[in-house]
């Protein structure tokens, strides 16, 4: 099947490569010439495990091309909209300008019967608006949200835990004939994962749009719940990691996404819960999502608390102290620094007078572009040289596995802050370190 993918960022580039891997003939379109040039050479424009290998594999088949010309999307049976929906400047609302621009640029090249499948995370109602704008073309707009995680994007796209189709429905809620045809097209696109037994939820467009933001809100809630428990643990001398283990054994709760620490960041969870709140307000149901404001506050408080903890281990002041921050990416296996808790804490400490050196295996370039005033080092040992306090902020395996004695040899004072609750306190304390963490005694 001929497929176009509009937008080749973290979502689109992976989706394009995976569609080609599934046997389709794919053209990826992006307005960013540098991105397209890199992808044409088989290089991933960002760090994502497995993506370079996949690009190389599918390049050899000739099934994957990239272009900056929207005209090259013409003739595809299905067009996936994969552009970003960042937070609007100074507001909670999602900025839909990229979605709108992509859709209107695509419109002249659509033919009757084409399927336009929205994958970007959008406020509910966007699909209906876009569908109206496409009506004259005879194309069918469906919503097909994406649930991939950065760091596992290839695996998540090739072997999704579920597929969701949001199809156009009539006034009685019944899928329209055009919707049924679009469903058959999507079934063909996803024939491989469907044959492998991937659960499929077929629904209306409003539900499909809501599924995505509901899922991300739930995940954010789970993280902030455990971080709220961490605050209680801090007030009582309890240990949030043991608490998470204990409640996580209840399968109704589950242990995943209950890791307390610096909280959530990235290009999705923070902006998605805010856009969801903004949309609820527009719909007149802001009370329904009032709790998300608290989820956001709990999350942001962790960053402040971490700076306070640094101050505590520095005996009251971080002014002039040397701080090593291990990690800049918002999570391991990514070079994404959008709303990164690690960088946010590093920048706060720098602004409050500390001398901060940040290291990260993959994200230094992106971090430097965002915070050029911070100092950067290539390795943990270099970053920690003469440090008064070391903060583990992103749980890359090489930081989890650090040897306390090796690190002790380079620092000025043996003080470690475990921002992700991944180190063994007993081991670090036995090596003479002051160990502090969020939600742990
Ligand atoms: C998230 C969702 O998990 C995906 O399902 C979704 O498709 C994606 O957003 C999206 O909307 O596109 P992602 O942003 O890649 O994926 O990252 P997550 O793995 O969800 O982690 C988000 C943040 O939460 C990270 O900063 C991570 O460190 C933090 N986190 C995660 C915790 O603090 N504790 C946990 O227990 C888990």
């Amino acid at each position: 099947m001929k497929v176009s993918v509009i937008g080749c960022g973290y979502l689109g580039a992976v989706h394009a490569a995976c569609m080609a891997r599934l046997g389709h003939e794919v053209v990826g379109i992006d307005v960013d010439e540098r991105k397209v040039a890199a992808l044409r050479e088989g290089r991933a424009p960002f760090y994502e495990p497995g993506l370079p290998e996949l690009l190389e594999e599918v390049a050899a088949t000739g099934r994957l091309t990239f272009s900056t010309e929207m005209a090259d999307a013409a003739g595809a049976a299905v067009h996936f909209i994969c552009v970003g929906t960042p937070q609007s400047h100074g507001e909670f609302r999602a900025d839909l300008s990229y979605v709108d621009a992509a859709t209107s640029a695509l419109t002249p090249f659509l033919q009757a019967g084409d399927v336009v499948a929205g994958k970007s995370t959008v406020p509910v109602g966007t699909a209906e608006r876009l569908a109206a704008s496409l009506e004259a073309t005879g194309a069918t707009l469906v919503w097909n949200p994406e649930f991939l995680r950065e760091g596992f994007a290839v695996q998540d796209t090739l072997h999704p835990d579920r597929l969701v189709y949001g199809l156009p429905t009539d006034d009685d809620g019944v899928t329209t004939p055009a919707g049924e045809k679009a469903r058959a097209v999507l079934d063909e696109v996803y024939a491989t994962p469907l044959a492998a037994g991937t659960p499929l939820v077929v629904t209306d467009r409003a539900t499909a749009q809501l599924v995505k933001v509901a899922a991300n809100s739930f995940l954010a809630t789970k993280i902030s719940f455990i971080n709220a428990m961490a605050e209680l643990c801090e007030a009582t001398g309890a240990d949030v990691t043991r608490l998470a283990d204990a409640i996580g054994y209840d399968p109704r709760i589950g242990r995943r996404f209950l890791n307390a620490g610096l909280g959530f960041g990235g290009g999705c969870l923070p902006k998605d819960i805010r856009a969801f709140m903004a949309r609820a307000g527009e719909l007149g149901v802001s009370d329904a999502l009032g709790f998300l404001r608290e989820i956001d506050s709990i999350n942001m408080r962790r960053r402040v608390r971490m700076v306070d903890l640094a101050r505590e281990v520095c005996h009251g002041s971080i002014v002039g102290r040397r701080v090593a921050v291990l990690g800049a990416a918002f999570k391991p296996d990514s070079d994404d620094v959008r709303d990164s808790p690690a960088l946010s804490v590093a920048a706060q400490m720098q602004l409050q007078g500390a001398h901060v050196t940040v290291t990260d295996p993959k994200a230094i370039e992106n971090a430097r572009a965002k915070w050029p005033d911070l100092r950067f080092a290539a390795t943990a040992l270099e970053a920690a040289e003469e440090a008064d306090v070391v903060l583990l902020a992103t749980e890359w395996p090489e930081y989890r596995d650090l040897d306390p004695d090796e690190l002790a040899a380079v620092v000025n004072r043996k003080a470690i802050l475990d921002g992700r609750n991944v180190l063994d306190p007993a081991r670090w304390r036995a090596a003479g370190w002051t160990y502090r963490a969020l939600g742990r005694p």
Side-chain angles (χ1 to χ4, degrees), residues 191-254:
T192 307
L194 287 173
T198 303
L200 169 64
V201 178
V202 180
T203 181
D204 56 86
R205 287 190 295 221
T207 306
Q209 292 164 87
L210 278 172
V211 165
K212 176 58 192 274
V213 278
N216 277 1
S217 296
F218 192 87
L219 294 171
T221 301
K222 223 176 156 184
I223 298 167
S224 276
F225 173 83
I226 201 65
N227 282 332
M229 294 305 110
E231 292 189 22
L232 266 295
C233 289
E234 282 155 20
T236 54
D239 183 338
V240 74
T241 64
R242 301 308 291 152
L243 182 132
D245 291 342
I247 64 173
Y249 281 119
D250 182 335
R252 293 172 302 174
I253 297 173

Side-chain angles (χ1 to χ4, degrees), residues 121 146-151 162 212 216 219 223 226-227 255-269 272 330-332 341 395 420:
T121 303
E146 177 59 54
F147 306 100
L148 66 79
R149 299 159 297 167
E150 286 178 29
R162 78 285 212 189
K212 176 58 192 274
N216 277 1
L219 294 171
I223 298 167
I226 201 65
N227 282 332
R255 181 62 177 81
R256 294 177 74 190
F257 265 68
L258 276 188
N259 295 320
L262 272 177
F264 59 82
C268 302
L269 264 43
D272 285 353
F330 84 105
K331 68 175 196 180
E395 68 276 32
R420 293 291 175 183

Side-chain angles (χ1 to χ4, degrees), residues 10 32 34 38 85 98 160 217 238 257 279 283 338 347 349 369 410 420 427 429:
Y10 287 96
D32 184 338
R34 273 189 23 222
T85 51
Y98 301 104
S217 296
F257 265 68
R279 186 64 185 134
L283 293 166
R338 287 177 293 171
M349 291 198 284
V410 301
R420 293 291 175 183
R427 182 169 174 232
R429 286 180 179 136

Side-chain angles (χ1 to χ4, degrees), residues 276-357:
F276 202 13
M277 282 186 265
R279 186 64 185 134
E282 288 167 5
L283 293 166
V285 286
S286 52
D287 284 356
L289 298 187
F291 73 98
L292 287 179
R293 189 171 287 275
E294 200 51 49
I295 298 307
D296 204 358
S297 304
I298 294 166
N299 194 49
M300 298 316 269
R301 278 209 297 274
R302 295 287 75 189
R303 302 179 186 187
V304 177
R305 173 72 188 133
M306 186 47 92
V307 179
D308 288 345
L309 213 50
R311 200 173 286 113
E312 276 174 34
V313 301
C314 289
H315 309 296
S317 172
I318 55 171
V319 176
R321 299 299 187 141
R322 303 177 82 90
V323 181
V325 176
L326 312 185
F330 84 105
K331 68 175 196 180
D333 277 324
S334 172
D335 64 357
D336 195 346
V337 298
R338 287 177 293 171
D339 204 350
S340 164
L343 261 193
S344 153
V345 169
Q348 274 311 311
M349 291 198 284
Q350 171 93 355
L351 290 168
Q352 293 182 28
H355 299 300
V356 180
T357 305

